[in-house]
């Protein structure tokens, strides 16, 4: 491990205290000093052999502790230096092996997909309320200004997506991966459309249905516990935000085939997903094990051919670069401010797990080559206006209507 760090760390100031008390320094000394102390030889060896998994796992288990700086600072230092020096060959070989076997881990049958989703999204709703915005939007926000609050940015995201759907009153909308219901309810409230929202999380479904009843929208909004492969009927519009990352690379073709078959001839679809700048890859071992089993962040080069083969037409592509990094910064700050309350819900190990998750995820978008993309698709060429002017007009109209206001405080089911 020490030899790897000597090769990897060219900038910054890092001290590693080994299990025997020896101090090892890395970097050129610039920036605030970081100091990590290992508590056992076993932890040292594990991190040295498989850092992709064990850097997070040993932080969770107390195999090393941060004595100066935070895990956020450490992940930033390691990721920034890796961008400059590259990873050692043995580490690249391990990653290559994970890439070759990725389809096995992403073999998401309906039953397996449901189990994977529930492992993350069926955690108590109180946890998510402690760090998300008031509407419980658990996906990349859209920061129209640097000063925007998280709630304002999530509202702007909903406006942005709604504009791209080019909605008309009376249309039927399918929301694939509807979460706690915020987007579907927003569309029904503002456009007079009928919405079917599907999720595999019972916790999310309960909240979404409660919110529907509270707004008196039972006749126009229908949230269901259902897999996208089981939906029947036709829809004028399809929207999917933050769900495609759970599909798995082996199912991309089936996903877009299903979406095309569910769309009317003049239908429009908007897909919002995390993506990779640097081409196809694999899901990190730690994220795969502890956060998103079965998940995968795709590259556009993997997605576009499947769309083309399905017969759908790509009408617009937008890449959101640092918006998710800023979203995660808000989430992490809120989580850390409420860390004692999270610990009361779970335990210290859980807090460390989520602290590492939020820190490493932000770094993936800030310096690690991840982004978000929005793909707008149709079945026929004339389904949307010929220029993009309608997008700004629609967002301006929505903005004038809501005034950029933040939504009311959300009450969760059972509270």
């Amino acid at each position: 491990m020490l030899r790897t760090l000597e090769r990897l760390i060219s900038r910054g100031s890092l001290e590693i205290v080994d299990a025997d008390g020896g101090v090892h320094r890395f970097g050129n000394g610039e920036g605030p000093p970081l100091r990590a102390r290992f508590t056992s030889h076993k932890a040292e060896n594990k991190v040295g052999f498989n850092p992709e998994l064990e850097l997070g796992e040993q932080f969770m288990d107390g195999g090393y502790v941060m004595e100066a700086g935070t895990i956020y600072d450490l992940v930033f230092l390691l990721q920034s230096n890796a961008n400059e020096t590259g990873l050692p060959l043995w580490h690249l070989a391990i990653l290559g092996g994970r890439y070759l076997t990725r389809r096995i881990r992403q073999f998401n049958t309906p039953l397996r997909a449901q189990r994977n989703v529930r492992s993350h999204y069926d955690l108590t709703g109180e946890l998510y309320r402690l760090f998300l915005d008031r509407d419980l939007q658990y996906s990349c926000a859209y920061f129209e200004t640097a000063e925007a609050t998280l709630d304002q940015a999530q509202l702007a995201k909903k406006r942005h997506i709604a504009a791209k759907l080019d909605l008309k009153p009376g249309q039927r909308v399918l929301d694939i991966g509807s979460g706690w219901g915020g987007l579907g309810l927003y569309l029904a409230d503002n456009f007079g459309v009928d919405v079917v929202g599907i999720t595999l999380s019972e916790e999310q479904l309960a909240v979404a249905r409660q919110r529907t009843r509270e707004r008196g929208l039972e006749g126009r909004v229908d949230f269901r516990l259902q897999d996208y492969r089981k939906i029947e009927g036709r829809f004028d519009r399809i929207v999917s935000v933050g769900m495609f990352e759970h599909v798995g690379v082996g199912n991309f073709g089936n996903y877009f085939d299903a979406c095309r078959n569910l769309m009317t001839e003049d239908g429009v679809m908007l897909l919002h997903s995390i993506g990779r700048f640097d081409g196809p890859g694999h899901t990190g071992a730690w994220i795969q094990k502890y956060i998103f089993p079965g998940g995968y962040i795709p590259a556009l080069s993997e997605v576009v051919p499947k769309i083309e083969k399905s017969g759908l037409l790509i009408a617009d592509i937008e890449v959101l670069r640092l918006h998710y990094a800023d979203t995660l910064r808000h989430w992490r700050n809120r989580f850390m401010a409420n860390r004692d309350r999270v610990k009361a819900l779970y335990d210290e190990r859980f807090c460390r797990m989520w602290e590492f998750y939020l820190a490493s995820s932000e770094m993936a978008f800030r310096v690690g080559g991840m982004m978000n993309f929005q793909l707008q698709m149709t079945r026929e060429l004339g389904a949307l206006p010929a220029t993009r002017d309608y997008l700004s007009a629609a967002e301006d109209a929505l903005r004038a209507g809501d005034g950029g206001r933040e939504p009311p405080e959300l009450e969760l089911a059972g509270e």
Side-chain angles (χ1 to χ4, degrees), residues 206-314:
V207 173
R209 285 179 170 175
Q210 175 196 359
R211 299 175 74 186
T212 302
R213 291 190 297 269
E214 290 171 350
R215 298 192 190 189
L217 292 172
E218 295 99 319
R220 291 176 41 215
V221 180
D222 177 18
F223 290 111
R224 307 173 184 173
L225 192 72
Q226 195 167 24
D227 190 280
Y228 72 92
R229 288 162 285 200
K230 305 295 184 180
I231 288 288
E232 297 180 351
R234 301 293 288 275
F235 298 86
D236 302 288
R237 300 292 186 265
I238 298 177
V239 62
S240 185
V241 179
M243 175 271 176
F244 190 66
E245 300 89 332
H246 300 283
V247 169
V249 67
N251 293 317
F252 287 175
N254 293 334
Y255 175 85
F256 289 111
D257 287 344
C259 290
R260 184 185 185 281
N261 292 335
L262 289 166
M263 290 169 64
T264 59
E265 290 298 324
D266 60 350
V268 176
M269 178 176 179
L270 192 284
L271 175 67
H272 172 115
S273 173
I274 301 173
R276 300 172 181 270
F277 276 119
D278 57 355
H282 74 282
T283 303
W286 187 86
I287 286 286
Q288 181 86 45
K289 181 175 180 179
Y290 288 102
I291 306 298
F292 295 121
Y296 174 64
I297 295 173
L300 278 168
S301 59
E302 297 174 291
V303 177
V304 171
K306 300 301 182 181
I307 296 174
E308 294 170 346
K309 190 173 181 180
S310 76
L312 289 171
L313 308 176
I314 296 177

Side-chain angles (χ1 to χ4, degrees), residues 176-192:
I176 302 177
S178 50
W180 290 276
L183 178 61
L185 294 170
Y186 178 84
L187 299 180
D189 270 338
N190 287 278
F191 294 93

Side-chain angles (χ1 to χ4, degrees), residues 3 31 35 50 53 71 95 97 162 190 205 214 241 244 281 283 308 319 330 352-353 386 408:
R3 286 194 296 270
R35 184 182 177 97
N50 188 5
L53 173 63
I71 192 64
L95 301 185
N190 287 278
L205 179 68
E214 290 171 350
V241 179
F244 190 66
T283 303
E308 294 170 346
V319 173
H330 280 277
R352 291 186 184 187
M353 177 173 68

Side-chain angles (χ1 to χ4, degrees), residues 128-159:
Y128 292 100
R129 187 176 177 179
L130 290 174
F131 72 92
L132 297 180
D133 67 302
R134 296 183 184 187
D135 197 40
L136 291 181
Q137 291 290 309
Y138 194 26
S139 58
C140 176
Y142 186 62
F143 289 85
E144 295 177 313
T145 67
E147 295 76 26
T149 67
L150 178 62
D151 289 274
Q152 290 169 343
Q154 291 291 12
L155 178 58
K157 185 262 299 290
K158 288 179 283 189
R159 285 197 299 259

Side-chain angles (χ1 to χ4, degrees), residues 90-159:
W90 65 267
H91 192 186
L92 293 175
I94 292 176
L95 301 185
R98 288 189 58 79
Y99 176 80
L100 292 174
T101 58
R102 63 182 184 153
R103 289 177 180 267
I104 299 172
R105 291 183 295 278
Q106 297 167 33
F107 184 63
N108 294 325
T109 64
L111 182 60
R112 190 173 182 183
Q114 187 174 60
R115 185 173 66 247
N116 290 340
V117 165
R118 288 180 175 177
S119 71
H120 187 82
Y121 296 96
D122 276 359
L123 298 171
T124 175
E126 180 62 20
L127 167 68
Y128 292 100
R129 187 176 177 179
L130 290 174
F131 72 92
L132 297 180
D133 67 302
R134 296 183 184 187
D135 197 40
L136 291 181
Q137 291 290 309
Y138 194 26
S139 58
C140 176
Y142 186 62
F143 289 85
E144 295 177 313
T145 67
E147 295 76 26
T149 67
L150 178 62
D151 289 274
Q152 290 169 343
Q154 291 291 12
L155 178 58
K157 185 262 299 290
K158 288 179 283 189
R159 285 197 299 259

